[in-house]
Amino acid sequence: MAKQAAKKKAASPASPLTATATLRARARKNIDDGAITDSYAADRKVVIRMLNDALATEYVCVLRYYRHYFMAKGMLADAVKAEFLEHAQQEQAHAGMLAERIVQLGGEPDLNPDTLTARSHAEYKEGKDLRDMVKENLVAERIAIDSYREMINYVGDRDTTTKRILEHILAQEEEHADEFSDLLDGWIG
């Protein structure tokens, strides 16, 4: 009986995980790559470029939201200004997450003001009045939603950390779009 139990134990399928000794040996190779190990499956250059374009988009949105915050006037201005300010701060937080990830991937955040608007998916639209500002922000959020979905689909499971960051940002962009859509639906005047 003991021989049969030993045979069954030896015949069990191999672990689907990499052997500990192999993990340890791999971790010691290319140590200057930091968090990027041999198991990273995405094209880092493409992901960094994509994240830098998203970073540019976030900064253009931050600037647009702050302009709208300071320029908002009219009967509904106080309520809408609060949304503009909150969204500016959230877009700034998104930019920080993207910049940190770019560095983790061995890249450099491209914050060159001369190229931000050219690389941004969203446009910097000033808006002629409060309603137009809300509409332009809704358009920008809709652009961001599609952009982030495409990035998530591209990255897939090849870079799960980047994917999680992009999914978090996408969820907030969808909230922003929903809030601006509600504002436009209930607009008076």
Side-chain angles (χ1 to χ4, degrees):
M1 277 288 181
K3 278 188 176 183
Q4 283 181 336
K7 274 187 179 182
K8 282 186 180 180
K9 193 172 188 179
S12 67
S15 172
L17 303 176
T18 304
T20 302
T22 303
L23 288 174
R24 290 175 181 170
R26 276 196 220 150
R28 293 187 179 286
K29 290 182 358 186
N30 304 317
I31 199 162
D32 291 340
D33 288 343
I36 304 303
T37 64
D38 291 344
S39 65
Y40 185 84
D43 182 333
R44 270 197 300 167
K45 288 181 182 178
V46 171
V47 173
I48 290 168
R49 185 174 55 247
M50 180 180 70
L51 293 176
N52 264 313
D53 290 350
L55 181 63
T57 302
E58 294 295 339
Y59 273 111
V60 166
C61 289
V62 167
L63 294 171
R64 188 187 59 255
Y65 275 127
Y66 272 121
R67 176 182 168 74
H68 291 172
Y69 170 74
F70 290 114
M71 296 301 295
K73 59 185 174 187
M75 187 168 58
L76 302 174
D78 288 342
V80 177
K81 280 177 78 157
E83 287 295 318
F84 291 159
L85 181 60
E86 179 184 355
H87 292 192
Q89 293 165 344
Q90 289 173 340
E91 303 293 350
Q92 181 69 50
H94 298 166
M97 287 186 273
L98 293 168
E100 285 179 11
R101 185 60 182 156
I102 290 167
V103 172
Q104 287 174 347
L105 292 172
E108 296 179 5
D110 185 350
L111 300 172
N112 183 343
D114 291 336
T115 64
L116 281 179
T117 55
R119 290 182 293 114
S120 172
H121 299 135
E123 299 170 286
Y124 181 87
K125 294 281 191 174
E126 294 178 352
K128 58 184 180 293
D129 56 31
L130 189 58
R131 186 177 197 287
D132 197 40
M133 291 176 193
V134 170
K135 185 184 96 188
E136 289 302 334
N137 285 310
L138 175 56
V139 168
E141 295 296 351
R142 290 171 51 83
I143 291 167
I145 289 166
D146 281 345
S147 296
Y148 281 111
R149 279 194 189 125
E150 286 182 12
M151 287 183 264
I152 290 164
N153 289 337
Y154 172 78
V155 169
D157 291 334
R158 295 174 295 169
D159 179 344
T160 52
T161 300
T162 298
K163 182 179 179 180
R164 267 194 338 270
I165 291 167
L166 296 174
E167 287 172 338
H168 170 77
I169 294 171
L170 172 61
Q172 281 200 317
E173 304 296 11
E174 288 174 338
E175 285 176 25
H176 294 174
D178 192 45
E179 290 165 357
F180 285 130
S181 180
D182 287 349
L183 279 172
L184 284 179
D185 282 347
W187 204 268
I188 308 166

Short mmCIF file of all heavy atoms in Angstrom, two decimals, residues 72-108:
data_model
loop_
_atom_site.label_atom_id
_atom_site.label_comp_id
_atom_site.label_asym_id
_atom_site.label_seq_id
_atom_site.Cartn_x
_atom_site.Cartn_y
_atom_site.Cartn_z
N ALA A 72 -16.33 80.15 -15.08
CA ALA A 72 -17.77 79.85 -14.97
C ALA A 72 -18.50 81.03 -14.33
O ALA A 72 -18.07 81.58 -13.32
CB ALA A 72 -17.97 78.59 -14.14
N LYS A 73 -19.61 81.40 -14.94
CA LYS A 73 -20.45 82.45 -14.37
C LYS A 73 -21.89 82.20 -14.79
O LYS A 73 -22.17 81.49 -15.74
CB LYS A 73 -19.98 83.84 -14.79
CG LYS A 73 -19.95 84.07 -16.27
CD LYS A 73 -19.36 85.42 -16.59
CE LYS A 73 -19.22 85.55 -18.10
NZ LYS A 73 -18.53 86.74 -18.49
N GLY A 74 -22.79 82.77 -14.03
CA GLY A 74 -24.20 82.59 -14.31
C GLY A 74 -24.90 81.95 -13.12
O GLY A 74 -24.28 81.63 -12.09
N MET A 75 -26.21 81.75 -13.27
CA MET A 75 -27.04 81.28 -12.18
C MET A 75 -26.62 79.90 -11.65
O MET A 75 -26.66 79.65 -10.46
CB MET A 75 -28.51 81.21 -12.65
CG MET A 75 -29.47 80.91 -11.53
SD MET A 75 -31.21 81.17 -11.96
CE MET A 75 -31.42 80.11 -13.35
N LEU A 76 -26.15 79.01 -12.51
CA LEU A 76 -25.76 77.66 -12.10
C LEU A 76 -24.26 77.52 -11.83
O LEU A 76 -23.78 76.42 -11.56
CB LEU A 76 -26.16 76.66 -13.19
CG LEU A 76 -27.63 76.61 -13.56
CD1 LEU A 76 -27.85 75.70 -14.75
CD2 LEU A 76 -28.46 76.15 -12.38
N ALA A 77 -23.54 78.62 -11.88
CA ALA A 77 -22.08 78.57 -11.85
C ALA A 77 -21.53 77.89 -10.60
O ALA A 77 -20.61 77.08 -10.71
CB ALA A 77 -21.49 79.97 -11.99
N ASP A 78 -22.07 78.19 -9.44
CA ASP A 78 -21.48 77.64 -8.22
C ASP A 78 -21.52 76.11 -8.20
O ASP A 78 -20.52 75.47 -7.86
CB ASP A 78 -22.18 78.20 -6.97
CG ASP A 78 -21.82 79.65 -6.72
OD1 ASP A 78 -20.79 80.12 -7.28
OD2 ASP A 78 -22.56 80.32 -5.98
N ALA A 79 -22.63 75.53 -8.57
CA ALA A 79 -22.74 74.06 -8.57
C ALA A 79 -21.83 73.45 -9.63
O ALA A 79 -21.15 72.45 -9.39
CB ALA A 79 -24.18 73.64 -8.81
N VAL A 80 -21.80 74.04 -10.80
CA VAL A 80 -21.01 73.50 -11.89
C VAL A 80 -19.52 73.71 -11.64
O VAL A 80 -18.70 72.85 -11.93
CB VAL A 80 -21.46 74.10 -13.25
CG1 VAL A 80 -20.60 73.58 -14.39
CG2 VAL A 80 -22.93 73.76 -13.51
N LYS A 81 -19.17 74.86 -11.05
CA LYS A 81 -17.76 75.13 -10.72
C LYS A 81 -17.21 74.04 -9.81
O LYS A 81 -16.06 73.61 -9.96
CB LYS A 81 -17.62 76.49 -10.02
CG LYS A 81 -17.62 77.66 -10.94
CD LYS A 81 -17.54 78.96 -10.16
CE LYS A 81 -16.11 79.18 -9.71
NZ LYS A 81 -15.80 80.58 -9.42
N ALA A 82 -18.01 73.61 -8.86
CA ALA A 82 -17.57 72.56 -7.94
C ALA A 82 -17.24 71.28 -8.71
O ALA A 82 -16.25 70.60 -8.39
CB ALA A 82 -18.64 72.29 -6.88
N GLU A 83 -18.04 70.96 -9.72
CA GLU A 83 -17.76 69.77 -10.56
C GLU A 83 -16.45 69.97 -11.34
O GLU A 83 -15.63 69.05 -11.42
CB GLU A 83 -18.91 69.52 -11.55
CG GLU A 83 -20.16 68.97 -10.93
CD GLU A 83 -19.98 67.58 -10.34
OE1 GLU A 83 -19.32 66.73 -10.97
OE2 GLU A 83 -20.49 67.35 -9.23
N PHE A 84 -16.28 71.15 -11.91
CA PHE A 84 -15.06 71.42 -12.67
C PHE A 84 -13.82 71.25 -11.79
O PHE A 84 -12.83 70.65 -12.19
CB PHE A 84 -15.07 72.84 -13.26
CG PHE A 84 -16.07 73.06 -14.36
CD1 PHE A 84 -16.48 74.35 -14.67
CD2 PHE A 84 -16.61 72.02 -15.10
CE1 PHE A 84 -17.39 74.60 -15.69
CE2 PHE A 84 -17.53 72.25 -16.12
CZ PHE A 84 -17.91 73.55 -16.41
N LEU A 85 -13.87 71.79 -10.58
CA LEU A 85 -12.73 71.71 -9.67
C LEU A 85 -12.46 70.26 -9.26
O LEU A 85 -11.31 69.80 -9.30
CB LEU A 85 -12.96 72.58 -8.43
CG LEU A 85 -11.83 72.58 -7.41
CD1 LEU A 85 -10.53 73.10 -8.02
CD2 LEU A 85 -12.22 73.43 -6.19
N GLU A 86 -13.50 69.54 -8.90
CA GLU A 86 -13.33 68.13 -8.51
C GLU A 86 -12.73 67.32 -9.65
O GLU A 86 -11.83 66.51 -9.45
CB GLU A 86 -14.67 67.54 -8.08
CG GLU A 86 -14.58 66.09 -7.68
CD GLU A 86 -15.95 65.48 -7.34
OE1 GLU A 86 -16.96 66.19 -7.31
OE2 GLU A 86 -15.97 64.25 -7.12
N HIS A 87 -13.22 67.54 -10.85
CA HIS A 87 -12.73 66.79 -12.00
C HIS A 87 -11.29 67.16 -12.32
O HIS A 87 -10.49 66.29 -12.69
CB HIS A 87 -13.64 66.98 -13.20
CG HIS A 87 -14.98 66.36 -13.02
ND1 HIS A 87 -15.87 66.20 -14.05
CD2 HIS A 87 -15.61 65.85 -11.93
CE1 HIS A 87 -16.98 65.62 -13.60
NE2 HIS A 87 -16.83 65.40 -12.31
N ALA A 88 -10.94 68.43 -12.18
CA ALA A 88 -9.55 68.85 -12.41
C ALA A 88 -8.62 68.11 -11.46
O ALA A 88 -7.56 67.61 -11.86
CB ALA A 88 -9.41 70.36 -12.23
N GLN A 89 -9.02 68.01 -10.22
CA GLN A 89 -8.20 67.33 -9.22
C GLN A 89 -8.10 65.83 -9.50
O GLN A 89 -7.03 65.23 -9.34
CB GLN A 89 -8.75 67.60 -7.81
CG GLN A 89 -8.60 69.05 -7.41
CD GLN A 89 -9.44 69.45 -6.20
OE1 GLN A 89 -10.36 68.76 -5.81
NE2 GLN A 89 -9.11 70.60 -5.62
N GLN A 90 -9.18 65.22 -9.94
CA GLN A 90 -9.16 63.80 -10.27
C GLN A 90 -8.31 63.53 -11.51
O GLN A 90 -7.56 62.54 -11.56
CB GLN A 90 -10.58 63.26 -10.45
CG GLN A 90 -11.33 63.18 -9.14
CD GLN A 90 -12.79 62.81 -9.30
OE1 GLN A 90 -13.38 62.96 -10.36
NE2 GLN A 90 -13.39 62.34 -8.21
N GLU A 91 -8.39 64.41 -12.50
CA GLU A 91 -7.56 64.25 -13.71
C GLU A 91 -6.08 64.41 -13.35
O GLU A 91 -5.23 63.69 -13.88
CB GLU A 91 -7.95 65.27 -14.79
CG GLU A 91 -9.40 65.24 -15.22
CD GLU A 91 -9.86 64.00 -15.96
OE1 GLU A 91 -9.01 63.16 -16.34
OE2 GLU A 91 -11.07 63.84 -16.16
N GLN A 92 -5.78 65.30 -12.41
CA GLN A 92 -4.40 65.47 -11.94
C GLN A 92 -3.91 64.19 -11.27
O GLN A 92 -2.78 63.76 -11.46
CB GLN A 92 -4.30 66.64 -10.97
CG GLN A 92 -2.91 66.90 -10.45
CD GLN A 92 -1.98 67.43 -11.50
OE1 GLN A 92 -2.31 68.38 -12.19
NE2 GLN A 92 -0.81 66.81 -11.65
N ALA A 93 -4.79 63.56 -10.49
CA ALA A 93 -4.43 62.28 -9.85
C ALA A 93 -4.20 61.20 -10.90
O ALA A 93 -3.27 60.39 -10.77
CB ALA A 93 -5.52 61.85 -8.87
N HIS A 94 -5.01 61.18 -11.95
CA HIS A 94 -4.80 60.23 -13.04
C HIS A 94 -3.42 60.43 -13.67
O HIS A 94 -2.70 59.47 -13.93
CB HIS A 94 -5.86 60.39 -14.15
CG HIS A 94 -7.26 60.15 -13.71
ND1 HIS A 94 -8.34 60.52 -14.49
CD2 HIS A 94 -7.78 59.59 -12.59
CE1 HIS A 94 -9.46 60.19 -13.86
NE2 HIS A 94 -9.14 59.62 -12.71
N ALA A 95 -3.08 61.69 -13.89
CA ALA A 95 -1.77 62.01 -14.48
C ALA A 95 -0.65 61.47 -13.59
O ALA A 95 0.34 60.91 -14.10
CB ALA A 95 -1.63 63.52 -14.68
N GLY A 96 -0.80 61.61 -12.30
CA GLY A 96 0.21 61.10 -11.38
C GLY A 96 0.36 59.60 -11.46
O GLY A 96 1.47 59.07 -11.48
N MET A 97 -0.76 58.89 -11.54
CA MET A 97 -0.70 57.42 -11.66
C MET A 97 -0.02 57.01 -12.96
O MET A 97 0.79 56.07 -12.97
CB MET A 97 -2.12 56.83 -11.63
CG MET A 97 -2.76 56.85 -10.26
SD MET A 97 -4.36 55.98 -10.25
CE MET A 97 -5.44 57.29 -10.74
N LEU A 98 -0.35 57.70 -14.04
CA LEU A 98 0.24 57.37 -15.34
C LEU A 98 1.75 57.64 -15.34
O LEU A 98 2.53 56.82 -15.82
CB LEU A 98 -0.45 58.16 -16.45
CG LEU A 98 -1.91 57.80 -16.71
CD1 LEU A 98 -2.57 58.84 -17.61
CD2 LEU A 98 -2.04 56.40 -17.29
N ALA A 99 2.15 58.80 -14.79
CA ALA A 99 3.57 59.15 -14.75
C ALA A 99 4.35 58.13 -13.91
O ALA A 99 5.45 57.71 -14.31
CB ALA A 99 3.75 60.56 -14.20
N GLU A 100 3.79 57.73 -12.78
CA GLU A 100 4.47 56.73 -11.94
C GLU A 100 4.63 55.41 -12.69
O GLU A 100 5.68 54.77 -12.61
CB GLU A 100 3.69 56.51 -10.65
CG GLU A 100 3.84 57.62 -9.65
CD GLU A 100 3.04 57.40 -8.38
OE1 GLU A 100 2.51 56.29 -8.16
OE2 GLU A 100 2.93 58.36 -7.60
N ARG A 101 3.61 55.00 -13.41
CA ARG A 101 3.69 53.74 -14.15
C ARG A 101 4.72 53.83 -15.27
O ARG A 101 5.46 52.87 -15.52
CB ARG A 101 2.31 53.33 -14.70
CG ARG A 101 2.32 51.97 -15.36
CD ARG A 101 2.73 50.88 -14.39
NE ARG A 101 2.77 49.57 -15.04
CZ ARG A 101 3.48 48.55 -14.62
NH1 ARG A 101 4.21 48.65 -13.52
NH2 ARG A 101 3.46 47.42 -15.27
N ILE A 102 4.78 54.96 -15.94
CA ILE A 102 5.77 55.15 -17.00
C ILE A 102 7.18 54.95 -16.43
O ILE A 102 8.01 54.25 -17.03
CB ILE A 102 5.62 56.55 -17.64
CG1 ILE A 102 4.31 56.61 -18.46
CG2 ILE A 102 6.83 56.90 -18.50
CD1 ILE A 102 3.89 58.01 -18.87
N VAL A 103 7.44 55.52 -15.27
CA VAL A 103 8.75 55.38 -14.64
C VAL A 103 9.00 53.93 -14.24
O VAL A 103 10.09 53.40 -14.45
CB VAL A 103 8.89 56.34 -13.43
CG1 VAL A 103 10.16 56.05 -12.64
CG2 VAL A 103 8.86 57.79 -13.89
N GLN A 104 7.98 53.26 -13.69
CA GLN A 104 8.13 51.85 -13.33
C GLN A 104 8.50 50.99 -14.53
O GLN A 104 9.22 50.00 -14.41
CB GLN A 104 6.84 51.29 -12.72
CG GLN A 104 6.57 51.78 -11.32
CD GLN A 104 5.20 51.31 -10.83
OE1 GLN A 104 4.36 50.82 -11.60
NE2 GLN A 104 4.96 51.49 -9.55
N LEU A 105 8.02 51.39 -15.69
CA LEU A 105 8.30 50.63 -16.92
C LEU A 105 9.64 51.02 -17.55
O LEU A 105 9.99 50.53 -18.62
CB LEU A 105 7.17 50.83 -17.94
CG LEU A 105 5.83 50.21 -17.55
CD1 LEU A 105 4.73 50.62 -18.53
CD2 LEU A 105 5.94 48.70 -17.46
N GLY A 106 10.37 51.91 -16.89
CA GLY A 106 11.67 52.31 -17.39
C GLY A 106 11.64 53.48 -18.35
O GLY A 106 12.63 53.77 -19.01
N GLY A 107 10.50 54.16 -18.43
CA GLY A 107 10.38 55.31 -19.31
C GLY A 107 10.46 56.62 -18.56
O GLY A 107 10.73 56.65 -17.36
N GLU A 108 10.21 57.69 -19.29
CA GLU A 108 10.21 59.02 -18.71
C GLU A 108 8.90 59.69 -19.06
O GLU A 108 8.51 59.71 -20.23
CB GLU A 108 11.37 59.85 -19.27
CG GLU A 108 12.73 59.30 -18.92
CD GLU A 108 13.87 60.13 -19.51
OE1 GLU A 108 13.61 61.19 -20.11
OE2 GLU A 108 15.03 59.69 -19.38
#
